[in-house]
């Protein structure tokens, strides 16, 4: 399938900072690419280049079949963007904000109204729709910004940290909205600080660090790449620990770890559920009573840590709001309002 988003060797420097150091990626039509990476990795810069808000020093990008550098206006009419820094008009109501976007995109005023109401409903904003956005909470603004990006049902969408700052209920609701869009054929590039979000929504994940893509694959492929599958057993009686170790030995792919106090044994394995079933049979044959047993797989957090050497992204989140990194206010356009 033709890629709906394609970037080749994008380079962008800001003074001494090489924000993009040769980013290449492609997103097949109708799929979701999750862009993960620590703060400052280059995620937002990549999104800004692909959405025509920023010109790269070099490299090439094609979105929805159109060259981003040669025909930015045409690209803008084919994409939706919701940014890390929400751009809504403070002095308009929620409803007016959405209607305005529709009208900017030449929808009839009736269609724009109907679409606004539909989106307000989707994003749980119906009750607040006639209040000015100035009175909205951070999460409400974010949802309004996302709704604005969806007014015209663009074939390609860019969402830069769509759920940062949303409570769990609204995050779940937004995941539902995104899944519906993708079912309907939208291609999506999503950056996120939440690995769970990438795990759930993204067909493919690209890990970015220091302006480069350092790993690429499905969540399962990335997890398999770092290995780290293990069986954890908690035996009922402390005296059984050594017998249990003997039972586990044939399956161990590395040294076992024993926590005496909790009677928990952890053994690296490979082979997944089959190994777990074998181990259970073996323990049973030796009449070892167990309190708990399970197969633990690496999480995306483990992948992230192993690839970037940083703690998980969410843990670094404490200082996000202060990390505006000289982003010029003029650059904070969103969802192509200026087309
Ligand atoms: N307008 C700018 N002027 C100067 N430096 C910039 C500008 N925009 C980005 N940078 C720098 O480029 C690098 C990449 O920034 P970018 O915003 O793309 O990171 P990010 O991956 O989106 O990070 P975060 O997770 O914090 O959102 C950072 O070092 C940042 O300071
Ligand atoms: Mg960013």
């Amino acid at each position: 399938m033709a890629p709906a988003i394609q970037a080749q060797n994008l380079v962008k420097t800001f003074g001494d900072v090489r924000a993009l150091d040769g980013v290449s990626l492609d997103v097949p039509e109708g799929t979701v690419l999750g862009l993960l990476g620590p703060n400052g990795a280059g995620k937002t810069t990549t999104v800004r280049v692909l959405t025509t808000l920023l010109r790269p020093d070099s490299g090439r990008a094609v979105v929805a079949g159109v060259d981003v550098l040669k025909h930015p206006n045409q690209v803008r009419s084919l994409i939706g963007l919701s940014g890390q820094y929400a751009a809504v008009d403070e002095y308009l109501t929620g409803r007016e904000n959405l209607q305005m976007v529709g009208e900017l995109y030449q929808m009839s005023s009736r269609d724009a109204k109907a679409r606004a109401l539909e989106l307000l409903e989707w994003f749980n904003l119906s009750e607040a729709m006639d209040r000015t956005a100035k009175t909205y909470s951070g999460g409400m603004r974010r949802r309004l910004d996302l709704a604005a990006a969806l007014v015209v049902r663009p074939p390609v969408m860019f969402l830069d940290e769509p759920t940062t700052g949303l409570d769990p209920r609204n995050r779940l609701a937004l995941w539902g909205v995104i899944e519906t869009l993708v079912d309907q054929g939208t291609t999506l590039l999503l950056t996120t600080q939440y690995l769970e979000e990438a795990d759930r929504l993204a067909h493919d994940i690209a890990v970015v660090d220091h302006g480069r893509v350092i790993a690429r694959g499905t969540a399962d492929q990335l997890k398999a790449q770092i290995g780290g599958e293990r069986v954890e057993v908690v035996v009922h009686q402390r005296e059984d620990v050594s017998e249990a170790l003997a039972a586990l030995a044939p399956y161990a792919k590395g040294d076992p770890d024993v926590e005496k106090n909790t009677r928990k044994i952890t053994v690296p394995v490979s082979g997944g559920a089959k190994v777990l079933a074998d181990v259970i049979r073996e323990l049973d044959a030796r009449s070892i009573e167990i309190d708990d047993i399970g197969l633990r797989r690496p999480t995306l957090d483990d992948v992230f840590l192993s690839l970037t050497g940083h703690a998980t992204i969410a843990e670094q989140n404490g200082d996000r709001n202060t990390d505006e990194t000289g982003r010029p206010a003029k650059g904070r356009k969103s969802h192509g309002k200026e087309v």
Side-chain angles (χ1 to χ4, degrees):
M1 218 183 305
I5 304 172
Q6 196 170 25
Q8 277 167 11
N9 231 350
L10 296 177
V11 173
K12 177 72 196 176
T13 50
F14 297 104
D16 294 345
V17 178
R18 217 169 160 78
L20 301 184
D21 190 18
V23 165
S24 298
L25 46 84
D26 56 282
V27 190
E29 208 177 302
T31 68
V32 181
L33 177 72
L35 214 55
L36 294 180
N39 291 149
K43 303 181 295 295
T44 297
T45 306
T46 302
V47 169
R48 292 183 67 211
V49 168
L50 293 173
T51 54
T52 76
L53 299 178
L54 187 71
R55 273 191 87 83
D57 303 342
S58 61
R60 199 168 162 264
V62 178
V63 169
V66 181
D67 190 303
V68 175
L69 298 174
K70 288 191 189 134
H71 308 290
N73 287 332
Q74 206 182 329
V75 168
R76 276 178 220 151
S77 69
L78 295 168
I79 61 174
L81 163 65
S82 169
Q84 190 170 12
Y85 303 96
V88 299
D89 190 324
E90 299 268 304
Y91 294 95
L92 297 180
T93 65
R95 191 218 292 249
E96 287 165 348
N97 260 291
L98 299 188
Q99 269 171 229
M100 186 187 71
V101 175
E103 282 162 19
L104 280 171
Y105 276 96
Q106 328 282 318
M107 288 169 95
S108 74
S109 130
R110 226 184 75 194
D111 288 351
K113 264 189 193 141
R115 183 66 175 157
L117 289 178
E118 181 181 28
L119 287 164
L120 288 160
E121 178 86 39
W122 273 16
F123 284 92
N124 254 323
L125 288 169
S126 299
E127 265 176 43
M129 70 183 180
D130 290 320
R131 277 163 40 194
T132 54
K134 206 168 55 193
T135 69
Y136 282 18
S137 72
M140 290 165 83
R141 264 163 217 250
R142 183 144 276 277
R143 280 179 281 141
L144 185 61
D145 184 57
L146 286 160
L150 299 183
V151 168
V152 289
R153 299 187 177 83
V156 181
M157 295 246 356
F158 296 84
L159 302 179
D160 193 7
E161 298 196 25
T163 64
T164 298
L166 294 191
D167 65 31
R169 188 176 59 103
N170 279 311
R171 176 169 302 144
L172 271 178
L174 178 66
W175 288 354
V177 169
I178 291 175
E179 280 166 348
T180 306
L181 286 173
V182 174
D183 281 348
Q184 293 168 351
T186 304
T187 304
L188 176 63
L189 188 150
L190 164 100
T191 81
T192 182
Q193 300 284 342
Y194 302 105
L195 302 178
E196 189 195 351
E197 183 163 292
D199 223 347
R200 162 139 174 199
L201 296 177
H203 298 102
D204 240 331
I205 290 172
V207 182
V208 185
D209 201 12
H210 301 297
R212 286 173 166 275
V213 176
I214 57 168
R216 175 74 198 259
T218 64
D220 283 340
Q221 285 166 348
L222 291 176
K223 289 173 193 173
Q225 197 178 313
I226 67 160
E229 203 175 43
R230 55 210 184 271
V231 167
E232 286 179 5
V233 188
V234 178
V235 296
H236 186 63
Q237 299 190 64
R238 201 175 291 186
E239 303 81 77
D240 284 344
V241 166
S242 47
E243 177 81 7
L245 279 170
L248 286 160
Y251 306 98
K253 297 286 175 211
D255 292 336
D257 180 64
V258 181
E259 288 173 31
K260 283 245 164 61
N261 292 332
T262 53
R263 306 175 311 280
K264 182 159 107 181
I265 305 169
T266 306
V267 191
V269 297
S270 69
K274 181 174 183 316
V275 170
L276 182 64
D278 290 348
V279 166
I280 291 171
R281 268 195 293 276
E282 185 69 34
L283 292 167
D284 201 42
R286 294 175 186 239
S287 306
I288 299 171
E289 202 182 332
I290 55 177
D291 286 347
D292 193 15
I293 187 161
L295 185 70
R296 305 276 179 268
R297 290 208 160 89
T299 63
L300 266 186
D301 290 76
D302 297 329
V303 171
F304 189 80
L305 184 63
S306 122
L307 285 172
T308 68
H310 299 285
T312 64
I313 318 182
E315 276 171 24
Q316 302 172 11
N317 255 349
D319 61 353
R320 302 198 52 70
N321 295 333
T322 57
D323 185 35
E324 296 243 352
T325 49
R327 198 170 272 102
K330 263 197 330 207
R332 290 190 208 169
K333 292 184 246 170
S334 190
H335 44 74
K337 262 187 197 166
E338 316 211 338
V339 170

